[in-house]
Amino acid sequence: MPFDRGRLSALLAREAEAFAAARPRSRALFERAGGSLLGGVPMPWMMLWAGGFPVFTQEASGARIVDVDGHEYVDLCLGDTGAMTGHGPPAVAEAVREQLARGITTMLPTEDSVVVAEELRRRFGLPLWQFTLSATDANRHVIRYARHITGRRKIVVHDHCYHGSVDETFAGLDASGRTVSRRGNIGPPVDPAETTWVVEFNDVEGLERALASGEVAAVLAEPALTNVGIVLPEPGYHDALRELTRRHDVLLIIDETHTLSAGPGGYTGAHGLQPDFMTMGKAIAGGIPAGAFGMTAEVSDRIDASIALEDIDVGGIGGTLAGNALSLAAMRATLTEVLTDEAFARMLPLGDRWADGVDAGIAKHSLPWTCTRLGARGEYTFTPTAPRTGAEAHAGGDFALEQLLHLYALNRGILLTPFHNMALMSPATTEADVDRHTEVFQTLLSDLV
Ligand code: PMP
């Protein structure tokens, strides 16, 4: 390590003290919350924020968050992608306000659903779409469909993937390369080895072994891993994935939830992928709960041929509030007015500017770290070269160091995603916001190294 662990601990203690001293209101709310919220937070991941307690939000707008103690932050976390549009983009707020007055949920379609599906078709190339309330649900549904139409039980996922709280995906590889329940997996219904075959990202041979087994219904893959640091596909990996899945009659599900950062048509649009199913959620309705999945005409024909109309409400696909009028109005505004081609034309260079700043800091201090770019998203890992697999990226993690980086940034008005070291640009993010991060990152390195 190019720095002293004692120095890291001392800085962490100093920053934690400054953090707590400046946030009496957040701290008091957190203490009060301990009496009525599990772990003092509405959702367990919120315990992961550095500093011993999360800052409580007073308001968020554009690329800014103000906490209850009056501190303002440049938000590079953006709700871990849910707010990739920036917070409360005016077009979405307006569409939501109008729709609230016209009805929220009716279990009937609105014209917006057609407009949104047509726009998704145009952007991603898949002709037929359905809606959910989350990316997790989109993944759950397509997995069920894939099993149903192939008659096979296993799903292939990549080691260290994340696709939401989907049972089949909480599996990983052990030291001998076997599929096992993932560390931290809470209450799996069955041993994940029964439902899942895990392969390393970028491992064509491992993929081929799995697909040749005849047990696999579908591969569920992010185009690049984004939840263990960013791991980019090597040249040819997606071609091999598509060729092998076709050869073995295995369906290919591409999860674009995070890789939407690559451009208006996500990674799929930018790189010409040809999935059978596609899933997404988070940002597509500007932060209003919504998810979507698309499919080819061939998949839709297979579904139609195998499901009776009278069973359609009890088959395990759907949700009462899914496809509701409010989510669809928000999605329409997001796709047609916020996450537009013009918005991406501003966001993509900002992603590069952020990564250039990080690279400059890494180079100045000769650190064995790497910054990886994925359009409007960037991330650095503590590995000397870009990781090729989830395991390599995971091995490069350093919890204490990440806590320091996050806390140091928080104390200086910057919010980074609490898991690893990721930053995301929104249409509301400015060059000055990015430069502020660069300055803070470089000051921290001078302080630490
Ligand atoms: N897919 C990917 C790639 C994700 O990163 C996530 C969440 N981080 C999900 C799906 C699930 O999203 P949600 O929790 O909103 O359902």
Side-chain angles (χ1 to χ4, degrees):
M1 246 331 141
F3 56 84
D4 173 49
R5 298 304 288 190
R7 175 82 187 141
L8 194 163
S9 303
L11 280 178
L12 198 48
R14 183 190 83 187
E15 294 296 320
E17 200 178 310
F19 175 81
R23 289 164 186 78
R25 290 190 169 186
S26 277
R27 185 188 202 156
L29 278 172
F30 180 68
E31 282 165 6
R32 180 174 145 204
S36 57
L37 291 169
L38 184 64
V41 286
M43 206 270 289
W45 300 342
M46 294 184 190
M47 290 182 211
L48 278 181
W49 287 100
F53 58 89
V55 296
F56 280 64
T57 305
Q58 183 69 39
E59 59 178 78
S61 99
R64 291 278 181 290
I65 286 184
V66 177
D67 73 14
V68 292
D69 290 288
H71 302 288
E72 186 175 296
Y73 305 91
V74 171
D75 187 5
L76 297 174
C77 167
L78 296 169
D80 191 24
T81 307
M84 188 168 108
T85 52
H87 298 284
V92 175
E94 183 60 27
V96 164
R97 247 193 315 273
E98 281 178 13
Q99 190 59 48
L100 280 174
R102 292 200 304 261
I104 298 168
T105 192
T106 60
M107 207 182 270
L108 289 167
T110 54
E111 186 183 351
D112 287 341
S113 62
V114 185
V115 174
V116 169
E118 286 170 352
E119 175 63 9
L120 292 172
R121 176 184 179 135
R122 184 188 73 79
R123 287 191 187 209
F124 297 101
L126 289 173
L128 294 157
W129 290 83
Q130 292 278 274
F131 300 107
T132 61
L133 285 183
S134 67
T136 296
D137 277 346
N139 283 325
R140 283 199 186 117
H141 291 359
V142 297
I143 286 174
R144 288 187 91 108
Y145 275 135
R147 286 210 178 97
H148 185 74
I149 63 182
T150 62
R152 300 180 187 160
R153 64 189 178 126
K154 283 198 177 168
I155 303 299
V156 164
V157 295
H158 288 115
D159 196 29
H160 292 284
C161 69
Y162 189 79
H163 296 282
S165 48
V166 177
D167 288 319
E168 291 85 345
T169 62
F170 287 94
L173 292 174
D174 71 5
S176 59
R178 269 182 325 178
T179 296
V180 293
S181 190
R182 191 172 171 164
R183 179 177 152 190
N185 189 1
I186 297 171
V190 294
D191 180 349
E194 287 184 32
T195 60
T196 308
W197 191 315
V198 180
V199 301
E200 278 287 13
F201 200 67
N202 282 321
D203 176 7
V204 176
E205 280 172 25
L207 184 66
E208 179 147 31
R209 262 194 310 280
L211 301 190
S213 71
E215 293 182 278
V216 177
V219 176
L220 169 59
E222 279 193 280
L225 295 181
T226 65
N227 284 289
V228 60
I230 295 173
V231 183
L232 296 177
E234 293 187 325
Y237 186 61
H238 276 289
D239 292 338
L241 178 57
R242 184 62 278 194
E243 198 275 308
L244 287 170
T245 43
R246 285 211 171 107
R247 192 191 310 162
H248 295 284
D249 191 25
V250 170
L251 295 166
L252 176 58
I253 307 165
I254 291 290
D255 179 346
E256 283 278 6
T257 304
H258 273 186
T259 44
L260 280 178
S261 65
Y267 193 96
T268 293
H271 296 268
L273 305 189
Q274 294 183 353
D276 299 298
F277 277 116
M278 179 181 294
T279 57
M280 64 188 70
K282 295 202 186 189
I284 58 166
I288 297 284
F293 58 95
M295 67 194 81
T296 60
E298 195 208 330
V299 166
S300 127
D301 288 345
R302 289 169 81 180
I303 291 174
D304 285 348
S306 64
I307 297 174
L309 179 61
E310 67 186 85
D311 299 329
I312 225 148
D313 56 338
V314 290
I317 306 283
T320 315
L321 300 182
N324 73 77
L326 190 70
S327 296
L328 265 311
M331 233 187 284
R332 178 178 181 163
T334 300
L335 291 173
T336 58
E337 296 180 68
V338 185
L339 291 181
T340 56
D341 292 3
E342 300 75 51
F344 274 100
R346 285 200 310 280
M347 289 151 70
L348 300 181
L350 285 175
D352 275 328
R353 190 180 181 98
W354 181 86
D356 288 344
V358 171
D359 279 342
I362 291 173
K364 181 167 173 205
H365 296 276
S366 307
L367 290 165
W369 299 357
T370 314
C371 186
T372 305
R373 302 164 191 229
L374 187 53
R377 185 188 300 283
E379 171 130 23
Y380 50 96
T381 41
F382 311 125
T383 54
T385 52
R388 277 189 64 246
T389 65
E392 279 178 28
H394 183 69
D398 184 329
F399 190 69
L401 179 55
E402 286 171 14
Q403 294 268 304
L404 175 63
L405 288 158
H406 294 174
L407 202 51
Y408 201 96
L410 266 180
N411 281 338
R412 290 155 187 81
I414 291 177
L415 206 70
L416 289 167
T417 314
F419 330 103
H420 37 106
N421 312 299
M422 184 161 76
L424 181 63
M425 310 299 134
S426 75
T429 308
T430 64
E431 290 186 349
D433 294 339
V434 171
D435 294 348
R436 173 81 189 131
H437 173 269
T438 300
E439 190 188 317
V440 168
F441 181 68
Q442 298 197 359
T443 313
L444 163 66
L445 295 186
S446 304
D447 227 352
L448 178 66
V449 180

